[in-house]
Amino acid sequence: ESALRAGEYCTEVARVDLRSAKSVLNQFFLALPLDQLARSSRETMMMQLPIYSDTTLTLPSHLPSSIRHVSLPDEYCIEKKKTEEMLALMALVRLHKLKLLNNNLLPL
């Protein structure tokens, strides 16, 4: 939650803020190895990206179900764009703390 208040998350060597969080999160998922079928069409590629709905973010199904859902606390719900940015930032913090992202905020 401190990252939400600050509007950014910093590691020793990288920084992500609300404006860049969605892009970094999408890059993370697109950098993961996928088979040819998963890359064969726009529809199947979109299934590899996070899904935003209201105040919840659902991460792709290849992650454990216990970490796939990110919910924004009510006090941070503002407008749709900001809500999605905050959800993406929360997801990046979670992925980094779970050691799925390195300190450069890149996939391991």
Side-chain angles (χ1 to χ4, degrees):
E1 227 176 275
S2 63
L4 286 180
R5 283 193 295 281
E8 67 180 14
Y9 179 68
C10 299
T11 68
E12 293 117 22
V13 294
R15 175 185 170 273
V16 64
D17 61 19
L18 289 172
R19 289 184 356 168
S20 61
K22 280 181 74 173
S23 176
V24 172
L25 188 63
N26 287 341
Q27 288 174 5
F28 166 73
F29 287 108
L30 292 174
L32 297 175
L34 297 173
D35 61 30
Q36 289 289 34
L37 184 61
R39 293 189 184 271
S40 65
S41 72
R42 180 173 168 78
E43 283 180 10
T44 56
M45 280 298 291
M46 295 304 288
M47 291 171 50
Q48 307 305 317
L49 295 175
I51 300 169
Y52 297 88
S53 63
D54 296 327
T55 60
T56 304
L57 170 62
T58 304
L59 301 175
S61 61
H62 59 271
L63 291 175
S65 61
S66 61
I67 66 168
R68 288 187 58 221
H69 301 281
V70 180
S71 296
L72 190 65
D74 290 338
E75 65 264 23
Y76 292 102
C77 297
I78 308 171
E79 61 188 68
K80 182 179 183 197
K81 181 180 178 189
K82 281 282 190 206
T83 298
E84 289 182 1
E85 291 171 346
M86 287 187 255
L87 286 165
L89 185 62
M90 287 176 63
L92 288 169
V93 171
R94 179 180 292 178
L95 293 170
H96 181 251
K97 290 186 184 232
L98 291 170
K99 308 271 189 240
L100 295 172
L101 290 173
N102 65 19
N103 284 340
N104 290 315
L105 299 175
L106 298 171
L108 290 173

